[in-house]
Amino acid sequence: QAAAGGGRTALRACGVHNVCRLLTRRAHGFYARDAGVAHRKNLGLLRKIMCQESTKFKNVWTTHSASPIAYERGRIYMDNYQCCITSIAQQPRLIYQKSKCAKSEKIEDALLLECPLGEMLPSPSDYKASLIVLTVQNWLLRLSADSGEVLEKVYLAGSCCKFFRYLSWDTPQEVMIVKSAQNKLPAAARQAGIQQTVLFYLAVFQVLPLSFIGMLEINKKIFGNSVTDVAVSNGILIVMYSMGLVRLYNFKAILEQFMEQPFDLGQEFNWNGQVGVVGKYPFGLPCNIKITDTPPLLFEASSLENAFQIGGYPWHYIITPNKKKHKGVFHICSLKDNAL
């Protein structure tokens, strides 16, 4: 036992550098008791394999594109998602190539959607990976990741909002947020003294099966005049202000408290004098979540350029002090007591 103990001490002192031994230790769960250690060890393994002197690299494929190239889980998307190439094979190969689309069908943003484990889904196509895309004309489409075929389509823009531009996850692979561009009045309207109070619209969807939870507006009257941007992540509404202030609110509580009436996709509705079908053209989605009072504030912090991240266990947040001279400096603080 003493010899074994001494061996372990020596091992800890010098560190384990052999990739095979590191893999074995990972399989035995040596890193399971500390958050983030397994991820760091995995990156360390990758670095050791790639940077060892005996490793040789060769160019197997080259491509060029005038438009941005996107990458999602082993798939390379080019030509505004019209071309899909797998990068998993020894040499990248074409999965599908769609015909060139009109400018009105241009894709603004996309998310890869994968089947949740252990759940019964209504359609066989739901069990295969798909791509959720947002078009310039405010259509939300679910495409087959293998063929590009349109599996579902939802029209977003009703009378309240015309410019949805961004897709993001609230809860990855479970709850999706579709955010509008910031509402700006035309110059003529501003000169006439008309005030713009609604800054953003957020449409909230449950995915697989795709279902509409609700749509809400971010209003100056509720959140203040200096709001510059909003985001939703892990059940938290993050509101950013021009002076570098970041405020956090309970997004789930907002949905529950201010929901006026729930609607399902495909449901006929009569809403504020409008009659239509939810998610169908030209009616789109009703704005059925009306925030009438400022929600309870969970947390606020001041950070340069609204740089703010939160995570870990126990919870911590990362900010940059709100002064230009501190650009590139990061403070990691405890969420419990703000201790640095």
Side-chain angles (χ1 to χ4, degrees):
Q1 287 179 344
R8 283 195 297 272
T9 303
L11 190 64
R12 283 196 296 268
C14 66
V16 178
H17 299 289
N18 183 284
V19 169
C20 293
R21 295 191 70 177
L22 284 169
L23 287 170
T24 302
R25 288 167 66 84
R26 183 182 70 176
H28 289 165
F30 274 65
Y31 319 126
R33 286 178 287 179
D34 191 358
V37 172
H39 183 60
R40 290 198 295 273
K41 291 292 183 181
N42 289 342
L43 292 177
L45 283 167
L46 182 63
R47 184 177 66 243
K48 291 179 187 299
I49 293 170
M50 293 185 68
C51 295
Q52 59 187 354
E53 293 183 4
S54 60
T55 301
K56 294 182 180 179
F57 297 91
K58 65 178 180 179
N59 182 8
V60 296
W61 185 70
T62 301
T63 189
H64 301 275
S65 174
S67 59
I69 299 174
Y71 174 83
E72 288 280 359
R73 302 286 183 93
R75 293 180 171 90
I76 301 169
Y77 293 96
M78 303 176 63
D79 301 329
N80 192 235
Y81 293 92
Q82 300 303 298
C83 176
C84 179
I85 297 166
T86 177
S87 64
I88 295 175
Q90 285 188 341
Q91 185 163 344
R93 58 179 176 79
L94 183 70
I95 297 179
Y96 65 80
Q97 173 75 60
K98 300 176 71 174
S99 56
K100 191 172 182 179
C101 66
K103 285 186 177 180
S104 62
E105 298 173 353
K106 180 189 174 187
I107 294 172
E108 292 286 338
D109 205 354
L111 290 174
L112 186 69
L113 183 58
E114 295 183 315
C115 169
L117 296 175
E119 291 189 23
M120 295 295 291
L121 300 174
S123 172
S125 65
D126 294 344
Y127 291 95
K128 295 183 178 180
S130 54
L131 196 69
I132 295 277
V133 302
L134 177 62
T135 75
V136 72
Q137 293 285 17
N138 297 303
W139 284 94
L140 188 69
L141 308 178
R142 187 165 75 92
L143 311 178
S144 166
D146 296 324
S147 66
E149 174 193 359
V150 177
L151 303 174
E152 288 182 87
K153 58 191 304 185
V154 176
Y155 187 65
L156 301 171
S159 59
C160 61
C161 180
K162 299 297 181 185
F163 306 104
F164 284 98
R165 291 293 178 265
Y166 310 102
L167 295 176
S168 63
W169 291 115
D170 173 10
T171 305
Q173 304 297 329
E174 292 183 19
V175 179
M176 177 180 66
I177 306 295
V178 188
K179 188 177 81 170
S180 73
Q182 184 171 345
N183 276 352
K184 293 183 180 179
L185 283 175
R190 291 196 299 270
Q191 290 171 1
I194 299 174
Q195 296 293 317
Q196 173 67 280
T197 60
V198 178
L199 296 171
F200 299 94
Y201 287 92
L202 303 176
V204 189
F205 288 87
Q206 189 87 28
V207 297
L208 285 179
L210 188 65
S211 58
F212 176 58
I213 295 175
M215 183 154 70
L216 65 151
E217 58 187 32
I218 302 299
N219 198 308
K220 286 182 181 180
K221 293 180 179 179
I222 301 297
F223 293 99
N225 291 323
S226 58
V227 174
T228 57
D229 203 359
V230 294
V232 178
S233 177
N234 293 294
I236 300 295
L237 174 65
I238 304 167
V239 183
M240 290 157 265
Y241 295 82
S242 57
M243 58 281 205
L245 189 66
V246 179
R247 286 179 172 160
L248 273 59
Y249 301 89
N250 186 327
F251 189 61
K252 184 177 180 182
I254 289 173
L255 299 184
E256 293 175 352
Q257 180 180 351
F258 297 106
M259 173 76 74
E260 293 190 345
Q261 181 179 337
F263 290 99
D264 295 325
L265 291 176
Q267 177 184 345
E268 293 187 4
F269 72 95
N270 188 330
W271 183 255
N272 294 335
Q274 280 193 315
V275 178
V277 179
V278 179
K280 300 292 184 183
Y281 183 86
F283 303 102
L285 304 174
C287 191
N288 59 336
I289 300 168
K290 294 287 186 181
I291 304 177
T292 53
D293 298 304
T294 305
L297 180 67
L298 294 179
F299 175 81
E300 71 176 21
S302 181
S303 183
L304 185 66
E305 298 175 351
N306 300 117
F308 177 87
Q309 291 191 36
I310 186 170
Y313 181 80
W315 290 93
H316 284 70
Y317 63 93
I318 304 175
I319 60 169
T320 294
N322 198 11
K323 293 182 180 178
K324 288 186 178 179
K325 67 178 182 180
H326 286 139
K327 190 169 185 177
V329 175
F330 299 95
H331 285 186
I332 303 174
C333 305
S334 167
L335 189 64
K336 181 180 180 180
D337 56 10
N338 298 320
L340 181 64

